[in-house]
Amino acid sequence: MKALLLENIHSEATRILTEAGLEVETRPGALGEDELIEALQGVSVLGIRSTTQLTERVIEASPDLLAAGCFCIGTNQVALGAAAAKGIPVFNAPYSNTRSVVELAIGEIIALARRLPEKNQMMHQGVWNKSANGSHEIRGRVLGIIGYGNIGAQLSVLAESLGMSVIFYDIADKLALGNARRCDSLEELLAEADLVTLHVDGRASNENFFGEEQFAMMKDRAMFLNLSRGHVYDVDALVRHLESGHIAGAGLDVFPSEPKKAGMPFESPLQNVPNVILTPHVGGSTKEAQVDIGRFVAGKLLDHVTTGGTQMSVNVPEIVAGAFEGTRVLHMHHNVPGVMARLNQVLAQHDGNITFQTLATRGAIGYAVIDVSGQHPNLQHELAELDETVRVRVI
Ligand code: NAD
């Protein structure tokens, strides 16, 4: 089997796929549509990052493609519906940079509590301002985490280990880790937190959910962090509260409008406001996260080609397939009544015992994984003939 990895994907991915016996071709840059179609002939596994566009046209013209991996977080660059309609699972790495974001948040919490942005700037300007004014330890201070998902929960654990007292608010029912305490409302959290940090997801209803009203409810001299999404907070309201001195400092990694490429100019009302740390959406950007993305996505691709597993695919039904003996049938089909009966009729004509059978559906697509004892050379051909079949592989 051949794999094509584009856009300088970390070598960890090449290592994993090569060791499993795949022939791996790597290319440093992205490919345009026509080049990609040409490059994908005979290729079973494609790895891309955010630049290569895996369009419907490319998918239609690449019959050998079995699975695609986005070695990043987002999957907007892939025509996910078109891939699903061809039975091609698409994978990404949504959680490989969780720790990186948490570590940046911890660094910023300490830096803001000690007013390091101002002190650093003054030193560069030749001003020796040795003073304890406005500087605090974080030990014993109350950290209010809004959004207790992967990042929020991991931050909770690390912040407690530094002696912070953690409270959190989440719209979903989340288990409190360690000694963290769940707040019943956002208002309750804002009334108690010395430092408020946003780790919510980007759902549409979160647009500007943290605005003037919420900043006004924060404690006097509290601090604010947002390393989640740029559209969830009102920058102008934050600037007003920083300039009035109500909020003592802020760390921002995400902005309502961000430049598309590195090196492009950036403008924000947050610039040159004292005790504000601005970073260019690098919360998750570390070497370690890149290695983990390489490991994670390559693992998912390999699992799919060797066992048929689709766990954590973003576009097709998810099945944890695991190891098997004998013959395994991987059948992607149109999710219509009677399809399993017709599939089983074909299987019944073969002299084999069904040892495992599982089905999952997602929208218009159904996926069945079936293990049959013995070898059945004609099975793939017979199942491909069924009207409902989208893609079938017998391994
Ligand atoms: P997640 O989906 O695991 O957690 C998000 C949590 O927020 C969920 O528990 C959800 O119920 C909760 N939530 C959603 N809306 C809420 C609201 N209005 N009030 C309270 N809780 C709410 O996501 P994650 O992996 O923890 O990531 C958190 C955020 O960080 C995401 O927006 C993600 O895109 C962003 N992120 C940023 C970087 C970066 O480089 N700065 C890197 C990775 C992730």
Side-chain angles (χ1 to χ4, degrees):
M1 253 183 213
K2 285 188 184 166
L4 174 66
L5 302 183
L6 304 177
E7 302 184 63
N8 266 333
I9 286 167
H10 196 275
S11 56
E12 184 67 2
T14 307
R15 184 188 68 72
I16 289 170
L17 296 175
T18 309
E19 278 181 11
L22 275 81
E23 187 187 318
V24 180
E25 182 190 349
T26 59
R27 300 201 195 180
L31 294 181
E33 256 195 347
D34 291 333
E35 290 169 302
L36 185 57
I37 289 171
E38 198 184 322
L40 279 176
Q41 300 316 301
V43 167
S44 309
V45 169
L46 172 68
I48 58 173
R49 291 175 72 183
S50 51
T51 309
T52 303
Q53 303 293 308
L54 186 53
T55 61
E56 184 167 359
R57 188 173 150 241
V58 175
I59 290 163
E60 289 289 335
S62 307
D64 302 314
L65 192 60
L66 294 180
C70 301
F71 285 74
C72 51
I73 316 297
T75 53
N76 294 344
Q77 68 281 41
V78 179
L80 295 175
K86 288 281 171 198
I88 300 170
V90 177
F91 300 96
N92 66 342
Y95 305 123
S96 292
N97 58 11
T98 298
R99 173 73 188 208
S100 302
V101 179
V102 170
E103 289 195 11
L104 184 63
I106 292 282
E108 293 194 353
I109 290 169
I110 297 174
L112 292 173
R114 300 296 288 270
R115 300 193 74 81
L116 293 192
E118 284 174 345
K119 290 193 166 62
N120 177 54
Q121 197 179 11
M122 278 191 268
M123 287 295 279
H124 282 282
Q125 289 164 353
V127 180
W128 182 266
N129 186 15
K130 182 171 164 57
S131 156
N133 274 352
S135 285
H136 296 274
E137 291 184 352
I138 61 164
R139 177 173 49 166
R141 302 206 96 200
V142 179
L143 176 65
I145 300 174
I146 302 174
Y148 206 64
N150 286 283
I151 293 174
Q154 190 167 143
L155 176 61
S156 170
V157 173
L158 261 69
E160 276 201 338
S161 73
L162 290 168
M164 296 192 87
S165 170
V166 176
I167 57 176
F168 71 89
Y169 170 69
D170 198 296
I171 48 174
D173 197 9
K174 295 283 174 160
L175 180 73
L177 300 179
N179 295 319
R181 180 170 61 79
R182 181 191 170 84
C183 293
D184 290 330
S185 67
L186 186 55
E187 292 72 23
E188 181 188 338
L189 180 141
L190 296 176
E192 290 184 41
D194 297 313
L195 200 140
V196 172
T197 183
L198 302 189
H199 298 286
V200 298
D201 53 54
R203 70 185 72 190
S205 58
N206 279 342
E207 171 122 25
N208 268 331
F209 96 99
F210 207 96
E212 174 58 40
E213 198 188 332
Q214 288 69 32
F215 284 119
M217 277 190 267
M218 283 173 62
K219 278 168 72 175
D220 196 33
R221 305 301 291 163
M223 290 176 293
F224 177 79
L225 287 186
N226 184 10
L227 290 85
S228 63
R229 295 292 182 103
H231 70 276
V232 303
Y233 72 124
D234 180 342
V235 169
D236 294 325
L238 172 59
V239 171
R240 280 196 298 278
H241 284 269
L242 284 163
E243 286 180 340
S244 74
H246 168 223
I247 293 179
L252 293 321
D253 189 44
V254 288
F255 306 90
S257 160
E258 296 180 3
K260 295 241 176 317
K261 283 187 185 158
M264 286 174 73
F266 167 74
E267 275 183 33
S268 167
L270 287 157
Q271 281 163 328
N272 302 313
V273 180
N275 211 31
V276 170
I277 300 173
L278 303 179
T279 46
H281 206 146
V282 289
S285 306
T286 61
K287 178 87 183 296
E288 289 74 13
Q290 288 304 315
V291 174
D292 201 68
I293 288 171
R295 178 197 64 78
F296 186 86
V297 181
K300 291 281 169 257
L301 291 168
L302 193 57
D303 181 50
H304 183 67
V305 295
T306 54
T307 76
T310 49
Q311 197 184 12
M312 289 189 71
S313 154
V314 295
N315 66 330
V316 300
E318 289 188 57
I319 286 185
V320 181
F324 66 100
E325 283 175 10
T327 297
R328 172 164 283 178
V329 177
L330 309 171
H331 192 256
M332 292 265 186
H333 51 254
H334 298 296
N335 183 17
V336 292
V339 59
M340 287 306 288
R342 283 184 282 283
L343 179 55
N344 281 320
Q345 265 167 16
V346 175
L347 291 167
Q349 286 156 17
H350 285 258
D351 185 22
N353 186 31
I354 293 183
T355 54
F356 172 82
Q357 184 171 57
T358 187
L359 166 75
T361 62
R362 186 173 192 160
I365 295 290
Y367 183 35
V369 175
I370 303 159
D371 292 348
V372 191
S373 61
Q375 301 301 314
H376 306 277
N378 295 326
L379 197 49
Q380 172 141 347
H381 176 71
E382 290 168 32
L383 290 172
E385 298 283 293
L386 289 179
D387 288 346
E388 297 88 352
T389 300
V390 166
R391 178 182 290 255
V392 59
R393 236 174 3 119
V394 175
I395 53 179

